[in-house]
Amino acid sequence: GDTKLMPECVQYMHKRYHLKLQVSHCEKFGYGFMVTQVASTSCGMKCLVDGGYVSDLIQVLWTILQEEGMDEPLLLCTHSLDPSNHILHKAIINVLNILSSYTSLHEALVTVVSPHHTELTMSAKNEYPHTINEFLQWLV
């Protein structure tokens, strides 16, 4: 199919995500649903990755984990997540939703990592994983 409009659509959703704009009351589904649907296609997931949407979701999750004191993978695995922490829960769900299909997971994992991110140290406070691969490397 023709996918020329997909990058433009993703860019529009990304802009609204950054501005924290809500979907209209006239729209039946929210952005989570739309992003999940876009991510379920190879072209859509590629646009989400290339457009920085995935990186932004990971940055939000990373920032929340840092604030929760879970800046070491071992702490994340052994730390019980407070079910009342809706902000952390939403950040985790946002990342998992874009990885909910085989196609999206495959596309995220085969993404070529830029050369300056090949050695993942995360030593600086402002460093965070930018890709699903980098986040998984940090977990392992």
Side-chain angles (χ1 to χ4, degrees):
D2 191 34
T3 58
K4 292 178 185 175
L5 294 178
M6 185 69 76
E8 190 176 324
C9 176
V10 169
Q11 182 182 20
Y12 176 77
M13 290 191 310
H14 190 203
K15 179 181 173 187
R16 291 185 60 93
Y17 171 79
H18 261 285
L19 297 173
K20 298 188 186 304
L21 297 175
Q22 300 297 314
V23 292
S24 164
H25 291 290
C26 299
E27 296 174 278
K28 186 173 181 179
F29 302 106
Y31 283 114
F33 178 80
M34 289 187 278
V35 170
T36 300
Q37 293 302 305
V38 168
S40 69
T41 67
S42 182
C43 173
M45 187 60 178
K46 182 169 179 6
C47 288
L48 289 169
V49 170
D50 292 347
Y53 199 98
V54 172
S55 179
D56 283 355
L57 291 179
I58 293 170
Q59 181 181 14
V60 167
L61 176 57
W62 181 260
T63 302
I64 294 168
L65 290 173
Q66 296 289 309
E67 290 170 0
E68 292 287 321
M70 293 181 265
D71 53 353
E72 295 291 326
L74 182 59
L75 291 175
L76 178 61
C77 295
T78 60
H79 189 66
S80 117
L81 299 177
D82 181 3
S84 67
N85 189 339
H86 298 293
I87 296 170
L88 176 57
H89 182 259
K90 186 172 182 172
I92 291 170
I93 293 300
N94 285 343
V95 172
L96 291 177
N97 279 344
I98 61 168
L99 300 174
S100 63
S101 73
Y102 170 80
T103 303
S104 61
L105 182 61
H106 178 266
E107 196 65 40
L109 294 178
V110 298
T111 301
V112 177
V113 180
S114 61
H116 69 279
H117 291 298
T118 53
E119 194 62 39
L120 193 63
T121 59
M122 304 299 167
S123 58
K125 197 69 167 160
N126 60 354
E127 279 295 313
Y128 68 95
H130 293 78
T131 66
I132 299 297
N133 283 332
E134 289 177 359
F135 188 77
L136 291 175
Q137 282 178 349
W138 173 78
L139 280 175
V140 183

